[in-house]
Amino acid sequence: MSLVLKFGGSSVADAACVRRVAEIVKGAAPRSPVVVLSAMGKTTDALFAAAQAAERGETEVAMRALKEIVAGHKKACGELWEGEPPVDLQQFIEALSTQIDMLLRGVALLRELSARSRDAIVSFGELLSSQIVAAYLHSRGVPAAWLDVRRVMRTDASFGGAEPQTGEIARLARTELVPLMGPERIVVTQGYIGSTKDGITTTLGRGGSDYSASLLGAAIGAEEVQIWTDVEGILTADPRMVPEAVPVLELSFREGAELAAFGAKVLHPATIQPAVDADIPVTVRHTMRPEGRFSTITAKGGAGSKRPATAIASRSPIQVITIESTRMLAQSGFLARIFDVFGRLGVSVDVVATAEVSVSLTVEANAPIEAIKKELGAFAHVSVASDRALVALVGERLKHTSGLAARVFGAIASINVEMISMGSNEINLSLVVERKDEAAAVRLLHKALFAGNGESR
């Protein structure tokens, strides 16, 4: 059996972090680990900023940003090796630096930054971090093979958000990845990036490194995919709002996806879908506390749990659009007309609540409100409430817990709830409140439903 360990940017942000990662990886060596790495710290953001500066023709700004990125990586290397890092690693860093320099100067010369060029530039963060970690492991006597994931992670040519081709990934994993694996043999590779069949670099978009780990785990039939980050798993609420929030030890894939979709920042729902399909457990762990608590996401989750809810997520700011028309009464096709407008404008709708002559729904704060109002106004009255928050109570047992509604609304009796919706899968109770009441609503709900729990099962 094998294991996939994915480490995010905060987990490899500096030399001290890399040392901790190395210890975790070393401990997993008997389980044939494949290590998937994000770029160090905020490297990807810095590369995006450099590319944008080049597009504006600000060559000196772009070059200065590149110099700072390279200097940061060299500093980490100097601290890791307490002096000169291996010559081949130095040469790799210099070669990549030269490539990025040429790409940025080309963008600045043309004043044009295509999605393809952007992917090529921002891919270097993962290549750098993975080379450093692999070299450090090797220098510590840990056998570590570095693999350019672009040899395996086959995608289409949708630059910036490429679609993985799972059949090809599985085939390439058998020929390129599996031969490198084995007990006490570690493979170090990259998250977030891939390539087309013609070898052109692509990126997987938001949550790309988690997605890479899940895809590789499914391709090799891993026994577990571990996501290492800066929290002890998925918590019962955002710890910035609820300091006493605790890890959810077990949850289902459906619960994990709902929490992520409604504001939990640990995972993006699409990123674990390959593991869901392959029935591979996904665990979320704290890099700084490898022996601490963590969350395990499986198909069944906490099936035997007696908890009334699993966790609370929230998201803001959002906007609530209310569409009213007497023509809605006993008229077929009215809702279809409404959602046709949102479809044509490319606007995603989160939560919907209906009455006899009105429909209320939520959209993101950056939705094109004036265009929506103009189109809907042709056949209905439209009103918009801005600066709102969406608070979601998620759990497989919501529909089976008698008296839950009384506990929920009793807890937030002092807060005005403007909209209520029970998710179509019946594991999500969503409430819309004014944004100023978001944190209070989350705290009150958490106190009513989770107070006294040392851990949430």
Side-chain angles (χ1 to χ4, degrees), residues 3-21:
L3 183 68
V4 174
L5 297 86
K6 177 266 175 178
F7 293 94
S10 62
S11 296
V12 289
D14 54 31
C17 292
V18 170
R19 290 192 183 99
R20 281 191 293 271
V21 166

Side-chain angles (χ1 to χ4, degrees), residues 427-449:
I427 68 168
N428 181 337
L429 176 60
S430 298
L431 313 172
V432 173
V433 299
E434 290 189 56
R435 191 182 183 189
K436 65 180 179 62
D437 294 324
E438 177 185 4
V442 171
R443 285 194 294 268
L444 290 168
L445 287 170
H446 193 274
K447 183 177 180 180
L449 297 171

